[in-house]
Amino acid sequence: MLRWLSWAMLGLLVMAVAAWLLSRYWPLSAAQREDRRLLEAVQPNEGRNGFALLWTLPFDGLDQAQREAALAEDLRRWQASPSQASHTSLLAAAHAPLKLDGAGRCAVGPVGCLAQVRADPQRFADAHAGHAGLHERLARMADYDRFDSPFQPFESELLPLPAYTPLLDGTSAQALAYLQGDVAGAVEAGCRSVQFGRRMMRTGSTLVDSMMGAAVVRIHAALLGDMLVEQSPDYVLPVSCEVALQPLEADEQSLCHAMQGEFAMNKAAIEASTQTAGSRLLLDRDHTLARIAGNFGWACRPAAVKALAADVPLLAPPPPRWEVGCVANPLGCTLSAIAGPSHAQYATRSQDAAAMIRLLGAQRWLRQQAGPPDEALARLPAQWRSQARTPTLSADGRHLQLLRRGPAREGEGPYLSMPLRAD
């Protein structure tokens, strides 16, 4: 009996080792290899990098050289000891960051920012008191071509991120300037904000960067629509607006660069987790990275480019399922499943930002046409519509609208809209 049990245990051990070896050397699929290749094929962004200004945006009284120096020192400390480095600039020790009043930000909802400021201009004027320097810096953000973070992923440490809240301070300030009579200045500032948002969408190092850029585009396009509808149809836009308000190309909406950044952070964490022999028994680096690549790589595939160009929903794959490779990689399969919620909703936000720019262009074009808007809408140029989402008139005929594709925030309805007549 003992001999039989010994042989049985040995047989089970041999089977377990064979299963582990089969799992460990189970080949990766062609799709997994291609997704990883796309995510690791990072192409450098060209042009002037505005990350130093973005990183130090809350701080007044610094020239660009001082901002570059502050970023360099923060980066040096991060590289020396990521686990001990502060996730905010050390400038805060000697320069108090600007305190922003939440009362100066427009609320999300059916009432536009311009109408909110018009209803209570003094509240917004008080909230923006002393923010002239910040608003000047926000205007300068459009002078930069890219916003590449120099902070590189390290193990499982969270990357230092800029303070994003100041980016939203300019919307109501532009509405206030408009209501105080500076129409041209407010319109130009709105267009520069859109230009910055577009570049942030395309060149941000993380998904948060890209989504912040899309939000900047959406809210400033909405404000521009509210301001321009109160001007004559032949109102001449500043030169900067003609560039900023052109339709977004597919590469500007793409999340590929952002997903490459997200994959790099996951890769650093996985590689740090396989430093010991014990961990390598439960976590296979290549299989885990291949599974994680499936969570992000769809954004870089040619199909995603075609979908963005056609304004149709992007198809993100479901989270990876259990497979033979998980026998020797139980920890990696668990981690890749955690990292794999659908990111398709983020792509819809980029598509809605592009749709807002098209709606703004359609507003300008329709207001210059003779005859009823519903008849003119049938002749809307192709650049201001997509086959998937063609603008329609609201029931009262006062707005252009199309269905929102991304998730609506509290107070937002199912439609993206642009006014055709001033209230």
Side-chain angles (χ1 to χ4, degrees):
M1 178 65 70
L2 290 176
R3 179 180 299 176
W4 184 88
L5 287 174
S6 299
W7 280 108
M9 292 179 63
L10 180 60
L12 289 174
L13 178 61
V14 170
M15 292 174 61
V17 171
W20 188 91
L21 290 172
L22 175 66
S23 173
R24 182 54 59 100
Y25 292 101
W26 191 260
L28 303 177
S29 70
Q32 288 176 323
R33 292 195 299 271
E34 177 63 8
D35 281 339
R36 184 171 174 184
R37 184 191 70 80
L38 290 171
L39 290 167
E40 292 180 337
V42 181
Q43 297 297 317
N45 294 311
E46 298 180 352
R48 298 179 64 201
N49 189 2
F51 189 84
L53 180 57
L54 177 63
W55 178 250
T56 61
L57 196 60
F59 299 96
D60 283 332
L62 302 173
D63 60 27
Q64 188 58 28
Q66 291 172 308
R67 296 181 188 280
E68 297 282 356
L71 173 60
E73 177 61 18
D74 292 333
L75 177 60
R76 186 191 67 78
R77 290 175 180 265
W78 166 261
Q79 292 172 334
S81 181
S83 61
Q84 302 296 321
S86 172
H87 279 224
T88 57
S89 178
L90 295 174
L91 280 173
H95 298 77
L98 191 65
K99 293 184 178 180
L100 301 180
D101 188 343
R105 289 194 293 276
C106 292
V108 176
V111 180
C113 189
L114 184 61
Q116 293 180 46
V117 178
R118 179 174 274 138
D120 192 359
Q122 191 58 52
R123 171 169 71 91
F124 287 92
D126 293 341
H128 287 302
H131 291 189
L134 172 62
H135 299 154
E136 183 273 333
R137 292 193 293 278
L138 288 172
R140 284 197 287 120
M141 297 295 283
D143 294 335
Y144 295 92
D145 305 293
R146 58 190 177 96
F147 297 90
D148 296 333
S149 172
F151 297 100
Q152 296 300 310
F154 179 82
E155 297 185 351
S156 58
E157 296 293 332
L158 295 176
L159 278 180
L161 297 175
Y164 296 108
T165 303
L167 296 176
L168 304 178
D169 199 65
T171 316
S172 57
Q174 292 161 16
L176 186 64
Y178 172 87
L179 294 172
Q180 291 173 341
D182 186 11
V183 175
V187 170
E188 181 165 16
C191 290
R192 290 181 66 81
S193 295
V194 169
Q195 185 70 283
F196 157 68
R198 293 173 68 143
R199 290 171 179 168
M200 186 80 161
M201 287 174 64
R202 183 175 57 83
T203 67
S205 302
T206 66
L207 190 57
V208 178
D209 291 336
S210 183
M211 291 300 96
M212 197 66 221
V216 169
V217 171
R218 288 196 306 271
I219 62 177
H220 284 92
L223 175 59
L224 283 167
D226 288 341
M227 293 191 293
L228 292 175
V229 79
E230 297 184 352
Q231 309 307 307
S232 64
D234 57 355
Y235 177 80
V236 179
L237 290 174
V239 175
S240 59
C241 292
E242 295 297 342
V243 176
L245 302 185
Q246 290 298 308
L248 272 73
E249 300 291 343
D251 69 324
E252 293 181 273
Q253 303 173 55
S254 173
L255 295 184
C256 182
H257 192 74
M259 291 303 196
Q260 288 174 332
E262 298 293 326
F263 180 74
M265 288 188 283
N266 278 266
K267 182 178 179 180
I270 294 301
E271 290 182 338
S273 299
T274 56
Q275 296 302 308
T276 64
S279 65
R280 287 194 290 272
L281 289 174
L282 301 176
L283 194 156
D284 178 80
R285 172 185 178 276
D286 288 338
H287 280 87
T288 301
L289 290 177
R291 288 170 62 86
I292 291 176
N295 296 331
F296 301 118
W298 59 271
C300 297
R301 296 173 189 167
V305 177
K306 293 180 180 179
L308 291 171
D311 189 36
V312 298
L314 275 72
L315 299 178
R321 299 179 179 179
W322 189 93
E323 58 184 358
V324 174
C326 291
V327 173
N329 189 33
L331 183 56
C333 287
T334 301
L335 291 174
S336 61
I338 294 173
S342 174
H343 291 89
Q345 61 168 317
Y346 299 110
T348 63
R349 296 178 186 179
S350 296
Q351 290 181 304
D352 281 351
M356 283 297 290
I357 295 297
R358 291 197 301 271
L359 277 176
L360 183 56
Q363 178 210 59
R364 294 169 56 208
W365 184 86
L366 277 175
R367 294 184 69 231
Q368 295 171 354
Q369 306 307 304
D374 56 341
E375 295 180 6
L377 194 56
R379 306 190 307 272
L380 185 66
Q383 68 185 118
W384 304 126
R385 56 182 168 81
S386 74
Q387 293 182 352
R389 290 190 290 178
T390 297
T392 60
L393 292 179
S394 60
D396 61 6
R398 301 183 67 88
H399 292 80
L400 273 176
Q401 61 184 26
L402 50 77
L403 280 173
R404 185 189 305 275
R405 183 163 292 156
R409 296 174 296 178
E410 185 177 356
E412 291 182 327
Y415 291 99
L416 301 171
S417 68
M418 194 67 62
L420 282 179
R421 298 200 301 267
D423 293 331

